[in-house]
Amino acid sequence: MAAERKTELRNQAIYSVYLRNHTPEGSFRALVPDLDRIKALGTDIIWLMPIHPIGLKGRKGSLGSPYANRDYRSVNPEYGSLEDFKALAEEIHRRGMKCIIDVVYNHTSPDSLLYEQHPDWFYRRPDGRPGNRVGDWTDVIDLDYGKRELWDYQIESLCFWAEIVDGFRCDVASFVPVDFWLEARAAVEKVRPGCIWLAESVHLSFGSWARRAGLYCARDTELFAAFDMEYEYDIRESFDRYLQGKLPLSAYTDMLNFQEAMYPENYNKLRFLENHDQPRIASQAADEKDLINLTAMLYFLKGTTLIYAGQEFCDTHLPSLFDKDVFSRDTGRDISPLLSRLREIKRGLGIEDSFVASADDESDIALMERQSAGRRSLGVFSLRSKSGDVALELADGEYLNLIDGSAVKVKDGRLFCEGRPIIITVET
């Protein structure tokens, strides 16, 4: 694990913003009026997806992907000026939240400033042309971290932004050498002590494919040497298959237990139901009760919670990365009060605690427990909104469901779940 332990991040929440599609204006300044609402959700950290200029060559869609970066040291003029960005960061800080930005260090756009100035810092195909190692990423070309000068340039860029922001979400961090991230972290720490480092690690199958193809791809255990938290893509495919009806719920809860067993004691996984690369959860859980149970489980999981803008409105449409596509706030559904309540509950959960999960596959009910010194917290989540008796190691009696304030009864070591989520905390 990274030497600087930030286990307090486990009980925090990140809100992800794609500036282009967050407001009709799609600018730094236009986000400011929405910060109070975002804060009220219980947000601790705002993650801004890439804020840099977008390449023109090979551009996808009408406006291009923000992950096809043209210049690491300036901002996308569509969003405003550098001064506008600094003003936004100040407004985020003024509300007691932190700001992290996306850095895309595996690749750039084909017409990037870096390619124009240092074409020798890029990966070359066998025919000598610049290219990328993943075929469908046709709007980018890969960097070559065999070039020491590239390390210096990228670290200088990180130090520049660290004067303004509190951390970095590092795109496909698995494809960039861990030794680079370690050196970058050490340098940035001198500029921004306590800087937050979030790694987009890759799906289990994608990482396996990359390594079989002879590509560098760090394993999650290796990435933890440099990062405070990383994506839960190592087990995401099990969760997706459960949602699709291809695996029982226990296959997913077993993977959660595997994470708890295999990673260092202070590991932190970013927990999410959706993000800008994944389908909206509301499009996969059409039943509102199912969605409420999934959301409650998300906040109970051990690890930092991620909310992708629009999730609070149960939006079913995943905004395009390549075009203007503002997410809808007029869905007729708004679970913001629930998110705020769950975030409040999450604050009361242990930081340095143990976690264990199990499942009743017949009823699709997940049972989870987090235990720390003097406290046990139990979660019961009916992911298909079914009713059923569940066994709990809990004394008979009446308990308070922290989510809605209702009373739940345990009799003969069993609790009757009516299909709504339950979180109970007891002193030990």
Side-chain angles (χ1 to χ4, degrees):
M1 280 301 288
E4 300 82 7
R5 291 160 51 92
K6 296 192 184 74
T7 48
E8 69 275 6
L9 291 172
R10 281 179 178 163
N11 282 1
Q12 295 188 7
I14 298 176
Y15 187 90
S16 175
V17 170
Y18 184 13
L19 280 161
R20 175 193 291 166
N21 289 332
H22 195 84
T23 61
E25 299 87 352
S27 67
F28 297 126
R29 296 283 183 180
L31 178 59
V32 173
D34 203 29
L35 291 179
D36 289 334
R37 183 190 66 83
I38 294 171
K39 171 70 174 178
L41 296 175
T43 302
D44 302 282
I45 302 165
I46 290 182
W47 153 28
L48 300 175
M49 288 167 57
I51 61 170
H52 305 298
I54 296 170
L56 297 174
K57 187 174 181 181
R59 174 175 283 193
K60 292 183 177 181
S62 61
L63 297 175
S65 168
Y67 292 94
N69 186 341
R70 194 174 189 183
D71 180 8
Y72 286 112
R73 299 185 178 182
S74 65
V75 299
N76 187 342
E78 297 173 24
Y79 296 162
S81 66
L82 179 59
E83 291 307 311
D84 291 333
F85 172 64
K86 289 179 179 179
L88 170 60
E90 289 175 3
E91 290 291 342
I92 292 171
H93 291 151
R94 193 167 66 82
R95 289 164 173 80
M97 297 182 287
K98 293 187 176 181
C99 175
I100 66 175
I101 59 170
D102 231 310
V103 290
V104 187
Y105 270 23
N106 178 67
H107 49 258
T108 74
S109 70
D111 54 351
S112 67
L113 183 64
L114 210 57
Y115 182 70
E116 293 173 2
Q117 296 178 346
H118 301 283
D120 55 315
W121 291 359
F122 286 78
Y123 160 77
R124 299 284 173 164
R125 296 190 181 104
D127 63 6
R129 292 183 302 153
N132 69 80
R133 300 172 180 87
V134 180
D136 64 343
W137 296 356
T138 56
D139 56 345
V140 297
I141 53 176
D142 287 357
L143 289 158
D144 178 2
Y145 278 85
K147 304 297 170 62
R148 176 65 228 189
E149 298 85 354
L150 172 62
W151 288 40
D152 296 337
Y153 182 92
Q154 298 291 59
I155 290 172
E156 287 172 7
S157 300
L158 286 167
C159 288
F160 168 78
W161 292 109
E163 295 278 2
I164 307 168
V165 301
D166 306 289
F168 303 101
R169 180 268 188 189
C170 303
D171 189 64
V172 284
S174 309
F175 284 5
V176 176
V178 172
D179 285 345
F180 166 80
W181 293 123
L182 284 166
E183 188 169 322
R185 180 177 182 127
V188 168
E189 188 68 17
K190 298 174 183 176
V191 178
R192 175 72 63 170
C195 181
I196 298 166
W197 293 86
L198 165 61
E200 185 200 21
S201 47
V202 298
H203 282 84
L204 180 66
S205 60
F206 189 24
S208 297
W209 168 84
R211 287 185 283 272
R212 289 197 307 272
L215 307 180
Y216 175 87
C217 182
R219 291 166 172 82
D220 286 19
T221 49
E222 297 166 333
L223 278 178
F224 266 134
F227 287 88
D228 301 307
M229 52 184 158
E230 58 182 40
Y231 273 41
E232 61 169 6
Y233 277 161
D234 54 329
I235 68 170
R236 176 71 188 198
E237 287 160 318
S238 294
F239 179 68
D240 289 342
R241 291 187 185 115
Y242 165 69
L243 289 180
Q244 296 160 6
K246 297 177 180 179
L247 283 178
L249 178 57
S250 59
Y252 171 60
T253 56
D254 286 349
M255 293 302 291
L256 288 168
N257 292 331
F258 183 66
Q259 284 182 330
E260 183 75 1
M262 73 172 291
Y263 289 122
E265 184 275 332
N266 60 331
Y267 82 99
N268 186 9
K269 283 286 184 174
L270 183 70
R271 306 297 182 179
F272 50 84
L273 296 175
E274 61 182 62
N275 61 47
H276 66 269
D277 286 323
Q278 301 294 311
R280 290 286 199 184
I281 191 62
S283 71
Q284 302 177 82
D287 188 295
E288 185 165 355
K289 292 181 180 178
D290 294 354
L291 185 61
I292 296 303
N293 274 278
L294 285 162
T295 303
M297 183 183 75
L298 170 68
Y299 278 79
F300 192 82
L301 289 171
K302 186 176 181 178
T304 306
T305 301
L306 174 69
I307 296 296
Y308 182 40
Q311 186 174 340
E312 65 269 43
F313 299 109
C314 306
D315 195 358
T316 58
H317 171 67
L318 183 67
S320 169
L321 276 179
F322 316 114
D323 305 286
K324 186 69 176 176
D325 191 10
V326 180
F327 72 84
S328 176
R329 291 165 171 78
D330 299 321
T331 62
R333 303 166 73 185
D334 183 355
I335 59 170
S336 296
L338 174 67
L339 301 188
S340 179
R341 177 59 187 149
L342 291 170
R343 177 65 189 93
E344 188 177 343
I345 293 171
K346 191 176 183 74
R347 285 193 181 95
L349 299 176
I351 292 176
E352 309 246 0
D353 57 356
S354 63
F355 174 90
V356 65
S358 62
D360 180 334
D361 286 330
E362 184 176 345
S363 299
D364 287 283
I365 296 176
L367 308 175
M368 299 182 181
E369 179 175 338
R370 294 177 63 168
Q371 184 166 349
S372 56
R375 176 174 294 185
R376 288 178 69 208
S377 297
L378 299 99
V380 181
F381 309 105
S382 180
L383 303 189
R384 305 293 187 195
S385 303
K386 298 176 183 175
S387 301
D389 275 320
V390 293
L392 293 177
E393 293 185 10
L394 206 58
D396 287 1
E398 190 171 273
Y399 296 88
L400 177 69
N401 182 357
L402 297 178
I403 299 175
D404 60 11
S406 63
V408 291
K409 293 182 179 180
V410 175
K411 184 176 181 181
D412 299 328
R414 302 188 71 83
L415 178 152
F416 182 70
C417 173
E418 299 177 345
R420 57 193 172 90
I422 299 169
I423 296 176
I424 298 168
T425 293
V426 296
E427 303 301 320
T428 58

